Amino acid sequence: AQRVTQPEKLLSVFKGAPVELKCNYSYSGSPELFWYVQYSRQRLQLLLRHISRESIKGFTADLNKGETSFHLKKPFAQEEDSAMYYCALIRLTGGGNKLTFGTGTQLKVEL
Amino acid sequence: SAVISQKPSRDICQRGTSLTIQCQVDSQVTMMFWYRQQPGQSLTLIATANQGSEATYESGFVIDKFPISRPNLTFSTLTVSNMSPEDSSIYLCSARGGDYNEQFFGPGTRLTVL
């Protein structure tokens, strides 16, 4: 079964500290993985996707097929990074490609 | 990018009644979806809304409980039928399209069933 696991419900870090939000997946095939973010009182939005291999707002995520992981990292946390982060996987079905989400990690950046 | 609006933004309903949620996208998209986010939980896909045909439901969701319409490429409705308190949740409309096949989300409809 295709599954996304985010082991931490809450992660608290101090401003300026490094951040790593963990994501592991199970998928038979070549996965397409994403990180979505939801800031307070805002809608869910795409942060980054592994295919583009880009850095958004200082965040990066590398797909590690050996460890089946797609951890989200940022070297120096900022207060505005406080939000809910969801790791997601595209799964192929007979009815088309569908996004499966992890349970999410609430990131709290403290001053 | 696609901007998605939903109506209503929130509602409080009585047990046994039904509520229809509307979703409007500002551009033509290839796929539209409905998700549920129960308190403290992740997003769960309810169904894929297909234009001009019956929606494709995920395991655990049925048409009688969650009838869905998609009359054109930019509009869809989700009805939550015969509601019970367990249906209290945030319902999210989502759409995929554009050059990068990105998936966008609406602001959600917060439903409380008494």
Side-chain angles (χ1 to χ4, degrees), chain B residues 49-105:
Chain B
N50 301 308
Q51 189 214 348
S53 65
E54 194 172 287
T56 305
Y57 290 84
E58 298 299 302
S59 175
F61 298 96
V62 295
I63 188 171
D64 290 345
K65 177 67 176 176
F66 297 102
I68 288 170
S69 77
R70 188 181 174 191
N72 56 52
L73 287 174
T74 63
F75 185 79
S76 178
T77 66
L78 167 75
T79 299
V80 186
S81 303
N82 188 25
M83 288 184 285
S84 67
E86 292 72 36
D87 295 320
S88 296
S89 186
I90 296 174
Y91 292 86
L92 291 154
C93 176
S94 180
R96 186 184 301 153
D99 294 339
Y100 300 100
N101 211 24
E102 183 174 337
Q103 190 156 335
F104 302 91
F105 287 82

Side-chain angles (χ1 to χ4, degrees), chain B:
Chain B
S1 65
V3 178
I4 301 174
S5 58
Q6 287 182 233
K7 288 195 294 188
S9 59
R10 60 177 62 221
D11 208 341
I12 300 173
C13 301
Q14 296 297 318
R15 180 196 299 260
T17 62
S18 298
L19 175 73
T20 295
I21 303 168
Q22 297 180 5
C23 175
Q24 180 74 54
V25 189
D26 70 344
S27 57
Q28 292 188 351
V29 291
T30 52
M31 300 184 78
M32 293 183 74
F33 307 90
W34 287 97
Y35 287 81
R36 181 173 72 182
Q37 187 174 25
Q38 293 180 303
Q41 297 190 27
S42 185
L43 288 82
T44 301
L45 181 62
I46 297 172
T48 303
N50 301 308
Q51 189 214 348
S53 65
E54 194 172 287
T56 305
Y57 290 84
E58 298 299 302
S59 175
F61 298 96
V62 295
I63 188 171
D64 290 345
K65 177 67 176 176
F66 297 102
I68 288 170
S69 77
R70 188 181 174 191
N72 56 52
L73 287 174
T74 63
F75 185 79
S76 178
T77 66
L78 167 75
T79 299
V80 186
S81 303
N82 188 25
M83 288 184 285
S84 67
E86 292 72 36
D87 295 320
S88 296
S89 186
I90 296 174
Y91 292 86
L92 291 154
C93 176
S94 180
R96 186 184 301 153
D99 294 339
Y100 300 100
N101 211 24
E102 183 174 337
Q103 190 156 335
F104 302 91
F105 287 82
T109 296
R110 183 180 294 271
L111 171 63
T112 302
V113 184
L114 303 177

Side-chain angles (χ1 to χ4, degrees), chain A residues 32-39 43-52 54 56-57 70 85-88 90 99 101, chain B residues 97 100-105:
Chain A
E32 188 171 350
L33 286 147
F34 306 81
W35 277 98
Y36 278 80
V37 61
Q38 188 167 28
Y39 300 102
R43 65 186 67 194
L44 194 64
Q45 57 186 283
L46 178 65
L47 180 62
L48 54 79
R49 56 200 307 172
H50 91 269
I51 285 180
S52 56
E54 58 193 344
I56 303 293
K57 299 184 179 183
F70 187 56
Y85 292 80
Y86 293 95
C87 185
I90 284 273
L99 267 180
F101 285 87
Chain B
Y100 300 100
N101 211 24
E102 183 174 337
Q103 190 156 335
F104 302 91
F105 287 82

